[in-house]
Amino acid sequence: MVVVDRPDPMPLQAVLFDFNGTIIDDEAIHHQLIDELLISENLRPTGRSHRRLCLGKSDRTALLDIFQEQDRSVDEKQMQKLLDRKSAAYQQRLGELETIPIYADLLDFLDNLESTGLQLGVVTGATRAGVELVLTKTGLAQRFKAIVTAEDVTQGKPSPDGYLLAAQQLGVPPQNCLAIEDTFPGLLAAKAAGMPAIGIAHTYPFHMIQRRANWAVDCFADLEIQRIQETYSN
Ligand SMILES: [Mg+2]
């Protein structure tokens, strides 16, 4: 674990997790589903631009950017249809999998967090149906006291709204929360909410993710929450 930038000391009370690419290793599934959707709309698949256009963003934001980049307009009704189709296809795809691909070292990390009495939450641009499916199937649903999804905020990441709402739901000031994120829009959202953040190198290389985070780790197994707690309370 590398300390990049120490936040001001505050007692740590809650840990807020991003979902796609942080809790679940599903970016390849999303990439494929978005491209299938684009092809069905006579749009070009994202190819090499996928990271730039889609990662860390809600499907709505990503699709709006893609339509704009390809000089195509989309009205709200059509957008909602596309989002519903994407959400249904995601749930179907996950339903076909024998094992839900949550990161292998997440469970031990959650056990460790719970033993310290910290409150846990999820802040994501993913849809509630998809998140609930994953958390229920993996037996994790009860662990998270606040779950903020695409439906709960008007503006997705990098807007701070989702993080601020989760902090409010938990009754914890944002500066007493810790965010865990795998992408730049997510880290920017946490920062804009006044929340220190860990960058986890699940999606981007370590040296890239650490530039925008207070701490950087390769995986949950490397994340020393007790050391981070000491930084908050000292
Ligand atoms: Mg993510």
Side-chain angles (χ1 to χ4, degrees):
M1 185 173 77
V2 169
V3 178
V4 184
D5 175 27
R6 280 176 194 276
D8 292 335
M10 289 280 173
L12 177 60
Q13 294 178 14
V15 179
L16 303 177
F17 291 76
D18 167 52
F19 188 68
N20 306 112
T22 297
I23 287 179
I24 180 167
D25 186 5
D26 63 353
E27 293 297 0
I29 297 172
H30 284 288
H31 190 162
Q32 197 183 4
L33 293 177
I34 288 270
D35 281 358
E36 284 172 14
L37 208 60
L38 295 176
I39 291 165
S40 75
E41 295 297 306
N42 289 319
L43 286 154
R44 288 191 305 280
T46 53
R48 284 173 154 193
S49 309
H50 182 78
R51 283 194 158 195
R52 176 176 58 81
L53 288 165
C54 300
L55 287 192
K57 298 178 188 168
S58 67
D59 286 337
R60 176 184 289 274
T61 308
L63 285 171
L64 278 173
D65 288 351
I66 293 166
F67 271 79
Q68 195 176 25
E69 194 163 274
Q70 300 194 25
D71 291 323
R72 282 269 302 271
S73 61
V74 55
D75 62 25
E76 177 53 31
K77 200 174 153 196
Q78 190 188 3
M79 173 59 75
Q80 198 52 58
K81 261 191 194 167
L82 293 173
L83 292 173
D84 290 346
R85 265 171 56 199
K86 164 79 176 10
S87 178
Y90 178 75
Q91 290 171 67
Q92 191 189 347
R93 195 68 54 95
L94 283 193
E96 290 162 5
L97 297 177
E98 245 170 64
T99 318
I100 301 286
I102 55 167
Y103 286 93
D105 51 357
L106 173 70
L107 290 177
D108 281 347
F109 181 65
L110 290 177
D111 287 344
N112 189 12
L113 283 184
E114 283 184 340
S115 71
T116 63
L118 292 165
Q119 297 196 77
L120 308 184
V122 172
V123 177
T124 176
T127 59
R128 183 160 295 276
V131 173
E132 284 182 349
L133 174 74
V134 169
L135 294 182
T136 305
K137 272 197 150 192
T138 51
L140 295 176
Q142 303 307 318
R143 301 221 184 189
F144 298 101
K145 298 288 176 288
I147 297 174
V148 172
T149 59
E151 295 87 345
D152 300 318
V153 288
T154 317
Q155 289 202 71
K157 299 170 188 177
S159 154
D161 295 4
Y163 276 111
L164 292 173
L165 181 61
Q168 191 188 13
Q169 287 179 358
L170 294 174
V172 175
Q175 62 269 30
N176 299 50
C177 298
L178 172 71
I180 307 180
E181 281 282 354
D182 71 308
T183 64
F184 306 142
L187 288 169
L188 288 171
K191 197 173 182 182
M195 217 171 266
I198 290 175
I200 193 160
H202 282 163
T203 305
Y204 287 94
F206 187 90
H207 72 275
M208 286 177 76
I209 205 78
Q210 76 170 357
R211 282 187 213 149
R212 287 177 174 84
N214 297 89
W215 298 272
V217 292
D218 278 317
C219 56
F220 287 114
D222 286 352
L223 212 164
E224 299 161 84
I225 197 68
Q226 279 80 3
R227 254 184 79 196
I228 289 173
Q229 263 183 314
E230 284 164 18
T231 325
Y232 271 74
S233 47
N234 283 336

